[in-house]
Amino acid sequence: MKFFNAFRKKSPWILHYNAGSCNGCDIEILAALGPRYDLERFGVINTGNPKQSDIFLVTGPVTYRSRERLVELYCQIPEPKVVIAVGSCTAAGGVFRGMYNVEDGIDRYIPVDVYVPGCASSPQLIIDAVVESLQILERKSKAIETPFKLFGAVETVAGKLSRLGMAKKVTDAED
Amino acid sequence: MKKTVQIPLGSQHISLLEPIRFKFECENETIVGVDADVGFVHRGVEQACTTKFDFKQVGFVVARVCGLCAITHSLSYTLAAEKLLDFTPNDRIRYLRMLMVELDRIHSHMLCLAHTAENAGFEALFMQIMGDRELVMDIQEAISGNRIQFDFIAIGGVTRDLTPEMVTLLHKNLDELSGKIADLIELFESNWSLSLKYRGIGALSLEEAQIYNALGPLARAAGLATDVRVETDDFPYEALGYEMMLETGGDIHARNRVRLREIMNSIAMCRNIVGNLPAGEIMEKAKGKPKGEVIVRLEAPRGELFYLVRGGGQNMLERVRIKTPTFSGIPAMMEVFKGSRYADAPAILASFDPCMSCTAK
């Protein structure tokens, strides 16, 4: 196991998904991979394939339609994996908090390891987060972390459709 | 047996920053039909502007509609609100706002050029243009304090003033950048392998541009003379050296050339603005509550941006309607795809510079 961890530390590949952000953080991720900040010289490559990725970079408050893709992509990344939430909307909804199509942050659906602040978060902060996530990746085991429940029973609050109950943890829901 | 094959592209795809799903109907290698699905990033900004936020805060909320043309969004809303308040800003404020919009246009166009190069398979050119783009980002960071999403414009004025050090940095970086853009124009003209991927690919004719209501660089590359900067008189663009850049090809090469020449024009305009900056306050008091209805059009980097704002004399607005460039340009985009090869689809897509965050709001 130590053998594989050594390689993983040298070249963690990232998967980037835009779950409804304003593109501000996405272009900062591009800038972080570009020549001035140049994450790629550390072996960090942006892949399009979840199967080859170790780090999951997510931007944006999760919109109602992108949450299925988010959980699907998360499940397809092999363990051990690290999730980085880039930007303040990814952490708690940011300026979009409480809007009708927004789910207020990705930690209602998948477990997050590193939160990056800022609107838009700068490339320096993104690099810090990737470096931080390397240590977490080393500590993590092959054990599977389950995503939280995606589709719960439809709840109604005062006659209106409510999605608040949909993001319970699987263990909580079973209790 | 079916003659055509359906190939999806997106919603998560390495060559696309944004979640959009295309369904291409392909016959052998040629695309014959396109279906686009853009609603993945709908967040409900328009309703939030009228129910959650005060009219003074809305300018900062609509800036989050899009990361690249954020300043144009907040400027459009601010102009609309100021018209409702019967407030006219002084010349210094108007010049500073113009300066930031033009800087934003430069970095947006450069990102599009870099992205098109990457999607056509030229990673080194992508790196080169992204490296040059940092020169503009430095100026923006020095002036406004943030690289992207600078909340520079507020109702009544702008939040920061230009200092002599910023002006020195601006001149130094823009001088360096204009030399690099001149090299890029030379490269795009003369490089043979670039011409294979760019010339004659994804062409839009003038008639199609007129029929499908193309906007921005997409229309100007096809020879359609449309630019909100000359059609409205909110800002003195003509006096500061604006020129319309027209091409006739309509293909990716023409679009790239329009963008490169517009960057040169914007650099010249930025220098003129800083050179002729009038004296005055940077923030003035705008009193009252918005009452009435007003329409504002501005030229975002991608085309015409349209705002309708209606207020009823309350703190909350009654209606904010945003019509963004990509939304109006989608019919023209769909037309371009038909008849081109599937392998060219990512490069063509990037050359439109589509913005799904804007479109879905």
Side-chain angles (χ1 to χ4, degrees), chain A residues 15 20-23 28 35-36 46 48 63 65 96-97 99-101 119, chain B residues 12 14 37 40-42 47 52 64 67 127 138 146-149 357:
Chain A
L15 178 72
S21 96
C22 71
N23 285 357
E28 291 296 65
R36 174 173 296 180
N46 190 4
T63 59
R65 281 189 70 187
F96 306 116
R97 190 173 178 85
M99 288 187 189
Y100 63 82
N101 208 31
C119 177
Chain B
Q12 191 264 338
I14 180 154
D37 184 354
F40 287 95
V41 285
H42 177 70
Q47 202 193 57
K52 279 183 59 136
R64 266 76 181 173
M127 283 293 185
D138 279 349
N146 202 356
R147 286 162 51 90
I148 294 170
Q149 291 293 8
S357 308

PDB file of all heavy atoms in Angstrom, chain A residues 15 20-23 28 35-36 46 48 63 65 96-97 99-101 119, chain B residues 12 14 37 40-42 47 52 64 67 127 138 146-149 357:
ATOM      1  N   LEU A  15     -10.032  15.859 -11.109  1.00  0.00           N
ATOM      2  CA  LEU A  15     -11.235  15.920 -11.938  1.00  0.00           C
ATOM      3  C   LEU A  15     -11.985  17.170 -11.529  1.00  0.00           C
ATOM      4  O   LEU A  15     -12.184  17.422 -10.344  1.00  0.00           O
ATOM      5  CB  LEU A  15     -12.110  14.689 -11.700  1.00  0.00           C
ATOM      6  CG  LEU A  15     -13.424  14.651 -12.466  1.00  0.00           C
ATOM      7  CD1 LEU A  15     -13.178  14.405 -13.919  1.00  0.00           C
ATOM      8  CD2 LEU A  15     -14.325  13.580 -11.917  1.00  0.00           C
ATOM      9  N   GLY A  20     -22.595  24.382 -11.118  1.00  0.00           N
ATOM     10  CA  GLY A  20     -23.473  25.543 -11.109  1.00  0.00           C
ATOM     11  C   GLY A  20     -22.798  26.826 -10.700  1.00  0.00           C
ATOM     12  O   GLY A  20     -23.458  27.738 -10.239  1.00  0.00           O
ATOM     13  N   SER A  21     -21.483  26.925 -10.869  1.00  0.00           N
ATOM     14  CA  SER A  21     -20.802  28.137 -10.449  1.00  0.00           C
ATOM     15  C   SER A  21     -20.887  29.197 -11.550  1.00  0.00           C
ATOM     16  O   SER A  21     -21.407  28.955 -12.623  1.00  0.00           O
ATOM     17  CB  SER A  21     -19.347  27.852 -10.121  1.00  0.00           C
ATOM     18  OG  SER A  21     -18.529  28.130 -11.222  1.00  0.00           O
ATOM     19  N   CYS A  22     -20.355  30.375 -11.250  1.00  0.00           N
ATOM     20  CA  CYS A  22     -20.436  31.487 -12.203  1.00  0.00           C
ATOM     21  C   CYS A  22     -19.239  31.507 -13.124  1.00  0.00           C
ATOM     22  O   CYS A  22     -19.023  32.498 -13.803  1.00  0.00           O
ATOM     23  CB  CYS A  22     -20.533  32.794 -11.454  1.00  0.00           C
ATOM     24  SG  CYS A  22     -19.017  33.268 -10.646  1.00  0.00           S
ATOM     25  N   ASN A  23     -18.418  30.467 -13.176  1.00  0.00           N
ATOM     26  CA  ASN A  23     -17.202  30.381 -13.990  1.00  0.00           C
ATOM     27  C   ASN A  23     -16.022  31.107 -13.383  1.00  0.00           C
ATOM     28  O   ASN A  23     -14.915  30.950 -13.871  1.00  0.00           O
ATOM     29  CB  ASN A  23     -17.369  30.940 -15.409  1.00  0.00           C
ATOM     30  CG  ASN A  23     -18.146  30.023 -16.283  1.00  0.00           C
ATOM     31  OD1 ASN A  23     -18.516  28.955 -15.855  1.00  0.00           O
ATOM     32  ND2 ASN A  23     -18.385  30.430 -17.502  1.00  0.00           N
ATOM     33  N   GLU A  28     -10.172  30.392 -12.550  1.00  0.00           N
ATOM     34  CA  GLU A  28      -9.033  30.459 -11.638  1.00  0.00           C
ATOM     35  C   GLU A  28      -8.337  29.101 -11.550  1.00  0.00           C
ATOM     36  O   GLU A  28      -7.118  29.033 -11.379  1.00  0.00           O
ATOM     37  CB  GLU A  28      -9.474  30.917 -10.250  1.00  0.00           C
ATOM     38  CG  GLU A  28      -9.903  32.358 -10.198  1.00  0.00           C
ATOM     39  CD  GLU A  28      -8.792  33.334 -10.508  1.00  0.00           C
ATOM     40  OE1 GLU A  28      -8.301  33.316 -11.645  1.00  0.00           O
ATOM     41  OE2 GLU A  28      -8.421  34.120  -9.642  1.00  0.00           O
ATOM     42  N   PRO A  35       0.667  28.771 -16.961  1.00  0.00           N
ATOM     43  CA  PRO A  35       2.121  28.869 -16.768  1.00  0.00           C
ATOM     44  C   PRO A  35       2.574  29.646 -15.545  1.00  0.00           C
ATOM     45  O   PRO A  35       3.626  29.339 -15.011  1.00  0.00           O
ATOM     46  CB  PRO A  35       2.594  29.545 -18.047  1.00  0.00           C
ATOM     47  CG  PRO A  35       1.417  30.128 -18.642  1.00  0.00           C
ATOM     48  CD  PRO A  35       0.231  29.386 -18.196  1.00  0.00           C
ATOM     49  N   ARG A  36       1.836  30.646 -15.066  1.00  0.00           N
ATOM     50  CA  ARG A  36       2.394  31.405 -13.946  1.00  0.00           C
ATOM     51  C   ARG A  36       2.384  30.586 -12.652  1.00  0.00           C
ATOM     52  O   ARG A  36       3.370  30.525 -11.945  1.00  0.00           O
ATOM     53  CB  ARG A  36       1.638  32.703 -13.722  1.00  0.00           C
ATOM     54  CG  ARG A  36       2.170  33.351 -12.467  1.00  0.00           C
ATOM     55  CD  ARG A  36       1.674  34.701 -12.167  1.00  0.00           C
ATOM     56  NE  ARG A  36       2.053  35.699 -13.147  1.00  0.00           N
ATOM     57  CZ  ARG A  36       1.694  36.961 -13.020  1.00  0.00           C
ATOM     58  NH1 ARG A  36       0.980  37.341 -11.999  1.00  0.00           N
ATOM     59  NH2 ARG A  36       2.037  37.829 -13.929  1.00  0.00           N
ATOM     60  N   ASN A  46      -5.107  17.771 -15.118  1.00  0.00           N
ATOM     61  CA  ASN A  46      -6.565  17.829 -15.184  1.00  0.00           C
ATOM     62  C   ASN A  46      -7.049  16.741 -16.142  1.00  0.00           C
ATOM     63  O   ASN A  46      -6.827  16.821 -17.336  1.00  0.00           O
ATOM     64  CB  ASN A  46      -6.980  19.209 -15.685  1.00  0.00           C
ATOM     65  CG  ASN A  46      -8.453  19.440 -15.553  1.00  0.00           C
ATOM     66  OD1 ASN A  46      -9.167  18.595 -15.017  1.00  0.00           O
ATOM     67  ND2 ASN A  46      -8.918  20.562 -16.044  1.00  0.00           N
ATOM     68  N   GLY A  48     -10.198  14.190 -17.698  1.00  0.00           N
ATOM     69  CA  GLY A  48     -11.635  14.216 -17.864  1.00  0.00           C
ATOM     70  C   GLY A  48     -12.263  12.930 -17.395  1.00  0.00           C
ATOM     71  O   GLY A  48     -13.469  12.757 -17.435  1.00  0.00           O
ATOM     72  N   THR A  63     -26.686  22.921  -8.129  1.00  0.00           N
ATOM     73  CA  THR A  63     -28.034  23.206  -8.610  1.00  0.00           C
ATOM     74  C   THR A  63     -28.834  21.908  -8.643  1.00  0.00           C
ATOM     75  O   THR A  63     -28.285  20.807  -8.563  1.00  0.00           O
ATOM     76  CB  THR A  63     -28.016  23.815 -10.012  1.00  0.00           C
ATOM     77  OG1 THR A  63     -27.387  22.906 -10.890  1.00  0.00           O
ATOM     78  CG2 THR A  63     -27.274  25.119 -10.023  1.00  0.00           C
ATOM     79  N   ARG A  65     -30.314  20.331 -10.913  1.00  0.00           N
ATOM     80  CA  ARG A  65     -30.074  19.364 -11.983  1.00  0.00           C
ATOM     81  C   ARG A  65     -28.685  18.765 -11.959  1.00  0.00           C
ATOM     82  O   ARG A  65     -28.476  17.680 -12.499  1.00  0.00           O
ATOM     83  CB  ARG A  65     -30.316  20.027 -13.337  1.00  0.00           C
ATOM     84  CG  ARG A  65     -31.759  20.128 -13.685  1.00  0.00           C
ATOM     85  CD  ARG A  65     -31.938  20.573 -15.094  1.00  0.00           C
ATOM     86  NE  ARG A  65     -31.541  19.549 -16.047  1.00  0.00           N
ATOM     87  CZ  ARG A  65     -31.490  19.766 -17.346  1.00  0.00           C
ATOM     88  NH1 ARG A  65     -31.765  20.948 -17.822  1.00  0.00           N
ATOM     89  NH2 ARG A  65     -31.137  18.805 -18.158  1.00  0.00           N
ATOM     90  N   PHE A  96     -25.604  32.796  -3.481  1.00  0.00           N
ATOM     91  CA  PHE A  96     -26.767  32.064  -3.996  1.00  0.00           C
ATOM     92  C   PHE A  96     -27.531  31.328  -2.904  1.00  0.00           C
ATOM     93  O   PHE A  96     -28.478  30.618  -3.202  1.00  0.00           O
ATOM     94  CB  PHE A  96     -26.339  31.049  -5.055  1.00  0.00           C
ATOM     95  CG  PHE A  96     -25.549  31.638  -6.174  1.00  0.00           C
ATOM     96  CD1 PHE A  96     -24.250  31.265  -6.386  1.00  0.00           C
ATOM     97  CD2 PHE A  96     -26.118  32.564  -7.013  1.00  0.00           C
ATOM     98  CE1 PHE A  96     -23.517  31.813  -7.422  1.00  0.00           C
ATOM     99  CE2 PHE A  96     -25.401  33.113  -8.042  1.00  0.00           C
ATOM    100  CZ  PHE A  96     -24.099  32.747  -8.245  1.00  0.00           C
ATOM    101  N   ARG A  97     -27.117  31.470  -1.660  1.00  0.00           N
ATOM    102  CA  ARG A  97     -27.728  30.704  -0.574  1.00  0.00           C
ATOM    103  C   ARG A  97     -29.227  30.977  -0.504  1.00  0.00           C
ATOM    104  O   ARG A  97     -29.664  32.122  -0.439  1.00  0.00           O
ATOM    105  CB  ARG A  97     -27.063  31.075   0.738  1.00  0.00           C
ATOM    106  CG  ARG A  97     -27.462  30.178   1.879  1.00  0.00           C
ATOM    107  CD  ARG A  97     -26.639  30.506   3.103  1.00  0.00           C
ATOM    108  NE  ARG A  97     -27.043  29.687   4.231  1.00  0.00           N
ATOM    109  CZ  ARG A  97     -26.576  28.471   4.465  1.00  0.00           C
ATOM    110  NH1 ARG A  97     -25.691  27.961   3.662  1.00  0.00           N
ATOM    111  NH2 ARG A  97     -26.999  27.789   5.496  1.00  0.00           N
ATOM    112  N   MET A  99     -31.521  30.440  -2.767  1.00  0.00           N
ATOM    113  CA  MET A  99     -32.265  30.608  -4.017  1.00  0.00           C
ATOM    114  C   MET A  99     -32.975  29.313  -4.359  1.00  0.00           C
ATOM    115  O   MET A  99     -32.567  28.242  -3.927  1.00  0.00           O
ATOM    116  CB  MET A  99     -31.323  31.020  -5.142  1.00  0.00           C
ATOM    117  CG  MET A  99     -30.830  32.438  -4.998  1.00  0.00           C
ATOM    118  SD  MET A  99     -29.890  32.955  -6.418  1.00  0.00           S
ATOM    119  CE  MET A  99     -29.243  34.500  -5.825  1.00  0.00           C
ATOM    120  N   TYR A 100     -34.033  29.399  -5.180  1.00  0.00           N
ATOM    121  CA  TYR A 100     -34.946  28.262  -5.247  1.00  0.00           C
ATOM    122  C   TYR A 100     -34.386  27.030  -5.936  1.00  0.00           C
ATOM    123  O   TYR A 100     -34.891  25.943  -5.742  1.00  0.00           O
ATOM    124  CB  TYR A 100     -36.269  28.670  -5.905  1.00  0.00           C
ATOM    125  CG  TYR A 100     -36.189  29.125  -7.345  1.00  0.00           C
ATOM    126  CD1 TYR A 100     -36.162  28.213  -8.377  1.00  0.00           C
ATOM    127  CD2 TYR A 100     -36.171  30.471  -7.659  1.00  0.00           C
ATOM    128  CE1 TYR A 100     -36.100  28.621  -9.682  1.00  0.00           C
ATOM    129  CE2 TYR A 100     -36.109  30.884  -8.966  1.00  0.00           C
ATOM    130  CZ  TYR A 100     -36.072  29.957  -9.975  1.00  0.00           C
ATOM    131  OH  TYR A 100     -36.007  30.367 -11.258  1.00  0.00           O
ATOM    132  N   ASN A 101     -33.352  27.193  -6.747  1.00  0.00           N
ATOM    133  CA  ASN A 101     -32.843  26.030  -7.470  1.00  0.00           C
ATOM    134  C   ASN A 101     -31.490  25.581  -6.939  1.00  0.00           C
ATOM    135  O   ASN A 101     -30.805  24.795  -7.565  1.00  0.00           O
ATOM    136  CB  ASN A 101     -32.730  26.369  -8.962  1.00  0.00           C
ATOM    137  CG  ASN A 101     -32.886  25.162  -9.831  1.00  0.00           C
ATOM    138  OD1 ASN A 101     -33.599  24.238  -9.489  1.00  0.00           O
ATOM    139  ND2 ASN A 101     -32.204  25.151 -10.948  1.00  0.00           N
ATOM    140  N   CYS A 119     -14.294  34.538  -3.138  1.00  0.00           N
ATOM    141  CA  CYS A 119     -15.190  34.702  -4.292  1.00  0.00           C
ATOM    142  C   CYS A 119     -14.562  35.717  -5.218  1.00  0.00           C
ATOM    143  O   CYS A 119     -14.588  36.887  -4.931  1.00  0.00           O
ATOM    144  CB  CYS A 119     -16.563  35.174  -3.849  1.00  0.00           C
ATOM    145  SG  CYS A 119     -17.673  35.465  -5.227  1.00  0.00           S
TER     146      CYS A 119
ATOM    147  N   GLN B  12     -20.422  16.751 -18.277  1.00  0.00           N
ATOM    148  CA  GLN B  12     -19.060  16.895 -17.765  1.00  0.00           C
ATOM    149  C   GLN B  12     -18.103  16.447 -18.854  1.00  0.00           C
ATOM    150  O   GLN B  12     -18.141  15.306 -19.291  1.00  0.00           O
ATOM    151  CB  GLN B  12     -18.863  16.048 -16.512  1.00  0.00           C
ATOM    152  CG  GLN B  12     -17.575  16.339 -15.784  1.00  0.00           C
ATOM    153  CD  GLN B  12     -16.454  15.403 -16.143  1.00  0.00           C
ATOM    154  OE1 GLN B  12     -16.689  14.312 -16.619  1.00  0.00           O
ATOM    155  NE2 GLN B  12     -15.243  15.836 -15.937  1.00  0.00           N
ATOM    156  N   ILE B  14     -13.954  17.213 -20.498  1.00  0.00           N
ATOM    157  CA  ILE B  14     -12.692  17.855 -20.138  1.00  0.00           C
ATOM    158  C   ILE B  14     -12.467  19.144 -20.895  1.00  0.00           C
ATOM    159  O   ILE B  14     -11.894  20.095 -20.384  1.00  0.00           O
ATOM    160  CB  ILE B  14     -11.517  16.880 -20.344  1.00  0.00           C
ATOM    161  CG1 ILE B  14     -10.216  17.564 -19.969  1.00  0.00           C
ATOM    162  CG2 ILE B  14     -11.454  16.371 -21.756  1.00  0.00           C
ATOM    163  CD1 ILE B  14      -9.157  16.681 -19.552  1.00  0.00           C
ATOM    164  N   ASP B  37     -28.666  21.308 -24.531  1.00  0.00           N
ATOM    165  CA  ASP B  37     -29.360  21.377 -23.256  1.00  0.00           C
ATOM    166  C   ASP B  37     -28.514  22.242 -22.332  1.00  0.00           C
ATOM    167  O   ASP B  37     -27.390  21.888 -21.999  1.00  0.00           O
ATOM    168  CB  ASP B  37     -29.506  19.961 -22.693  1.00  0.00           C
ATOM    169  CG  ASP B  37     -30.302  19.951 -21.410  1.00  0.00           C
ATOM    170  OD1 ASP B  37     -30.629  21.046 -20.935  1.00  0.00           O
ATOM    171  OD2 ASP B  37     -30.597  18.856 -20.899  1.00  0.00           O
ATOM    172  N   PHE B  40     -28.271  23.296 -16.882  1.00  0.00           N
ATOM    173  CA  PHE B  40     -27.682  22.646 -15.712  1.00  0.00           C
ATOM    174  C   PHE B  40     -27.307  23.620 -14.611  1.00  0.00           C
ATOM    175  O   PHE B  40     -27.176  23.229 -13.463  1.00  0.00           O
ATOM    176  CB  PHE B  40     -26.435  21.859 -16.130  1.00  0.00           C
ATOM    177  CG  PHE B  40     -26.751  20.615 -16.887  1.00  0.00           C
ATOM    178  CD1 PHE B  40     -26.749  20.604 -18.264  1.00  0.00           C
ATOM    179  CD2 PHE B  40     -27.077  19.462 -16.217  1.00  0.00           C
ATOM    180  CE1 PHE B  40     -27.051  19.462 -18.956  1.00  0.00           C
ATOM    181  CE2 PHE B  40     -27.377  18.317 -16.906  1.00  0.00           C
ATOM    182  CZ  PHE B  40     -27.370  18.308 -18.278  1.00  0.00           C
ATOM    183  N   VAL B  41     -27.065  24.873 -14.966  1.00  0.00           N
ATOM    184  CA  VAL B  41     -26.579  25.803 -13.942  1.00  0.00           C
ATOM    185  C   VAL B  41     -27.618  26.865 -13.608  1.00  0.00           C
ATOM    186  O   VAL B  41     -27.271  27.941 -13.154  1.00  0.00           O
ATOM    187  CB  VAL B  41     -25.253  26.462 -14.362  1.00  0.00           C
ATOM    188  CG1 VAL B  41     -24.132  25.492 -14.229  1.00  0.00           C
ATOM    189  CG2 VAL B  41     -25.318  26.985 -15.756  1.00  0.00           C
ATOM    190  N   HIS B  42     -28.887  26.566 -13.808  1.00  0.00           N
ATOM    191  CA  HIS B  42     -29.917  27.536 -13.448  1.00  0.00           C
ATOM    192  C   HIS B  42     -29.970  27.682 -11.931  1.00  0.00           C
ATOM    193  O   HIS B  42     -30.100  26.705 -11.215  1.00  0.00           O
ATOM    194  CB  HIS B  42     -31.270  27.093 -13.987  1.00  0.00           C
ATOM    195  CG  HIS B  42     -32.376  28.010 -13.599  1.00  0.00           C
ATOM    196  ND1 HIS B  42     -32.477  29.267 -14.115  1.00  0.00           N
ATOM    197  CD2 HIS B  42     -33.399  27.877 -12.738  1.00  0.00           C
ATOM    198  CE1 HIS B  42     -33.523  29.870 -13.586  1.00  0.00           C
ATOM    199  NE2 HIS B  42     -34.099  29.048 -12.742  1.00  0.00           N
ATOM    200  N   GLN B  47     -35.249  35.826  -9.815  1.00  0.00           N
ATOM    201  CA  GLN B  47     -36.244  35.885  -8.739  1.00  0.00           C
ATOM    202  C   GLN B  47     -35.621  36.386  -7.450  1.00  0.00           C
ATOM    203  O   GLN B  47     -36.240  37.152  -6.714  1.00  0.00           O
ATOM    204  CB  GLN B  47     -36.870  34.508  -8.522  1.00  0.00           C
ATOM    205  CG  GLN B  47     -38.211  34.624  -7.841  1.00  0.00           C
ATOM    206  CD  GLN B  47     -38.693  33.297  -7.329  1.00  0.00           C
ATOM    207  OE1 GLN B  47     -38.018  32.643  -6.548  1.00  0.00           O
ATOM    208  NE2 GLN B  47     -39.860  32.897  -7.781  1.00  0.00           N
ATOM    209  N   LYS B  52     -35.186  38.647  -2.536  1.00  0.00           N
ATOM    210  CA  LYS B  52     -34.260  38.461  -1.417  1.00  0.00           C
ATOM    211  C   LYS B  52     -33.392  39.682  -1.138  1.00  0.00           C
ATOM    212  O   LYS B  52     -32.937  39.871  -0.019  1.00  0.00           O
ATOM    213  CB  LYS B  52     -33.333  37.276  -1.716  1.00  0.00           C
ATOM    214  CG  LYS B  52     -33.949  35.940  -1.430  1.00  0.00           C
ATOM    215  CD  LYS B  52     -32.944  34.872  -1.693  1.00  0.00           C
ATOM    216  CE  LYS B  52     -31.729  35.058  -0.833  1.00  0.00           C
ATOM    217  NZ  LYS B  52     -31.228  33.867  -0.233  1.00  0.00           N
ATOM    218  N   ARG B  64     -22.564  37.997 -10.062  1.00  0.00           N
ATOM    219  CA  ARG B  64     -22.305  36.557  -9.914  1.00  0.00           C
ATOM    220  C   ARG B  64     -23.069  35.720 -10.929  1.00  0.00           C
ATOM    221  O   ARG B  64     -23.080  34.490 -10.816  1.00  0.00           O
ATOM    222  CB  ARG B  64     -22.659  36.104  -8.494  1.00  0.00           C
ATOM    223  CG  ARG B  64     -21.493  36.113  -7.538  1.00  0.00           C
ATOM    224  CD  ARG B  64     -21.143  37.470  -7.098  1.00  0.00           C
ATOM    225  NE  ARG B  64     -20.004  37.519  -6.204  1.00  0.00           N
ATOM    226  CZ  ARG B  64     -19.446  38.646  -5.812  1.00  0.00           C
ATOM    227  NH1 ARG B  64     -19.900  39.791  -6.257  1.00  0.00           N
ATOM    228  NH2 ARG B  64     -18.418  38.633  -5.017  1.00  0.00           N
ATOM    229  N   GLY B  67     -18.760  34.810 -14.386  1.00  0.00           N
ATOM    230  CA  GLY B  67     -17.463  35.171 -13.861  1.00  0.00           C
ATOM    231  C   GLY B  67     -16.646  36.024 -14.802  1.00  0.00           C
ATOM    232  O   GLY B  67     -15.857  36.852 -14.385  1.00  0.00           O
ATOM    233  N   MET B 127      -0.921  27.486 -23.266  1.00  0.00           N
ATOM    234  CA  MET B 127      -0.063  27.924 -22.167  1.00  0.00           C
ATOM    235  C   MET B 127       0.480  29.320 -22.423  1.00  0.00           C
ATOM    236  O   MET B 127       0.532  30.163 -21.523  1.00  0.00           O
ATOM    237  CB  MET B 127       1.105  26.949 -21.997  1.00  0.00           C
ATOM    238  CG  MET B 127       0.723  25.668 -21.307  1.00  0.00           C
ATOM    239  SD  MET B 127       0.295  25.984 -19.614  1.00  0.00           S
ATOM    240  CE  MET B 127       0.054  24.353 -19.013  1.00  0.00           C
ATOM    241  N   ASP B 138      -2.945  41.108 -13.567  1.00  0.00           N
ATOM    242  CA  ASP B 138      -2.188  41.912 -12.607  1.00  0.00           C
ATOM    243  C   ASP B 138      -2.755  43.323 -12.507  1.00  0.00           C
ATOM    244  O   ASP B 138      -2.880  43.874 -11.412  1.00  0.00           O
ATOM    245  CB  ASP B 138      -0.720  41.977 -13.044  1.00  0.00           C
ATOM    246  CG  ASP B 138       0.031  40.743 -12.633  1.00  0.00           C
ATOM    247  OD1 ASP B 138      -0.535  39.966 -11.844  1.00  0.00           O
ATOM    248  OD2 ASP B 138       1.164  40.549 -13.094  1.00  0.00           O
ATOM    249  N   ASN B 146      -9.044  42.346  -6.601  1.00  0.00           N
ATOM    250  CA  ASN B 146      -9.354  40.937  -6.812  1.00  0.00           C
ATOM    251  C   ASN B 146      -9.121  40.619  -8.285  1.00  0.00           C
ATOM    252  O   ASN B 146      -9.259  41.487  -9.136  1.00  0.00           O
ATOM    253  CB  ASN B 146     -10.812  40.662  -6.429  1.00  0.00           C
ATOM    254  CG  ASN B 146     -11.051  39.215  -6.113  1.00  0.00           C
ATOM    255  OD1 ASN B 146     -10.145  38.391  -6.240  1.00  0.00           O
ATOM    256  ND2 ASN B 146     -12.256  38.884  -5.730  1.00  0.00           N
ATOM    257  N   ARG B 147      -8.769  39.388  -8.565  1.00  0.00           N
ATOM    258  CA  ARG B 147      -8.467  39.028  -9.956  1.00  0.00           C
ATOM    259  C   ARG B 147      -9.732  38.900 -10.781  1.00  0.00           C
ATOM    260  O   ARG B 147      -9.796  39.346 -11.918  1.00  0.00           O
ATOM    261  CB  ARG B 147      -7.697  37.710  -9.995  1.00  0.00           C
ATOM    262  CG  ARG B 147      -6.264  37.830  -9.563  1.00  0.00           C
ATOM    263  CD  ARG B 147      -5.696  36.492  -9.211  1.00  0.00           C
ATOM    264  NE  ARG B 147      -5.904  35.520 -10.238  1.00  0.00           N
ATOM    265  CZ  ARG B 147      -5.054  35.296 -11.234  1.00  0.00           C
ATOM    266  NH1 ARG B 147      -3.942  35.953 -11.301  1.00  0.00           N
ATOM    267  NH2 ARG B 147      -5.312  34.382 -12.132  1.00  0.00           N
ATOM    268  N   ILE B 148     -10.729  38.231 -10.210  1.00  0.00           N
ATOM    269  CA  ILE B 148     -12.002  38.025 -10.883  1.00  0.00           C
ATOM    270  C   ILE B 148     -13.072  38.420  -9.882  1.00  0.00           C
ATOM    271  O   ILE B 148     -12.829  38.376  -8.689  1.00  0.00           O
ATOM    272  CB  ILE B 148     -12.137  36.563 -11.334  1.00  0.00           C
ATOM    273  CG1 ILE B 148     -11.096  36.272 -12.396  1.00  0.00           C
ATOM    274  CG2 ILE B 148     -13.503  36.264 -11.888  1.00  0.00           C
ATOM    275  CD1 ILE B 148     -10.980  34.849 -12.741  1.00  0.00           C
ATOM    276  N   GLN B 149     -14.246  38.752 -10.354  1.00  0.00           N
ATOM    277  CA  GLN B 149     -15.331  39.167  -9.458  1.00  0.00           C
ATOM    278  C   GLN B 149     -14.936  40.359  -8.616  1.00  0.00           C
ATOM    279  O   GLN B 149     -15.163  40.396  -7.420  1.00  0.00           O
ATOM    280  CB  GLN B 149     -15.759  38.014  -8.526  1.00  0.00           C
ATOM    281  CG  GLN B 149     -16.454  36.888  -9.195  1.00  0.00           C
ATOM    282  CD  GLN B 149     -17.795  37.271  -9.723  1.00  0.00           C
ATOM    283  OE1 GLN B 149     -18.155  38.431  -9.714  1.00  0.00           O
ATOM    284  NE2 GLN B 149     -18.532  36.305 -10.210  1.00  0.00           N
ATOM    285  N   SER B 357     -23.280  29.861 -17.673  1.00  0.00           N
ATOM    286  CA  SER B 357     -23.730  30.479 -16.425  1.00  0.00           C
ATOM    287  C   SER B 357     -24.602  31.686 -16.722  1.00  0.00           C
ATOM    288  O   SER B 357     -25.598  31.929 -16.053  1.00  0.00           O
ATOM    289  CB  SER B 357     -22.534  30.913 -15.611  1.00  0.00           C
ATOM    290  OG  SER B 357     -21.653  29.865 -15.457  1.00  0.00           O
TER     291      SER B 357
END
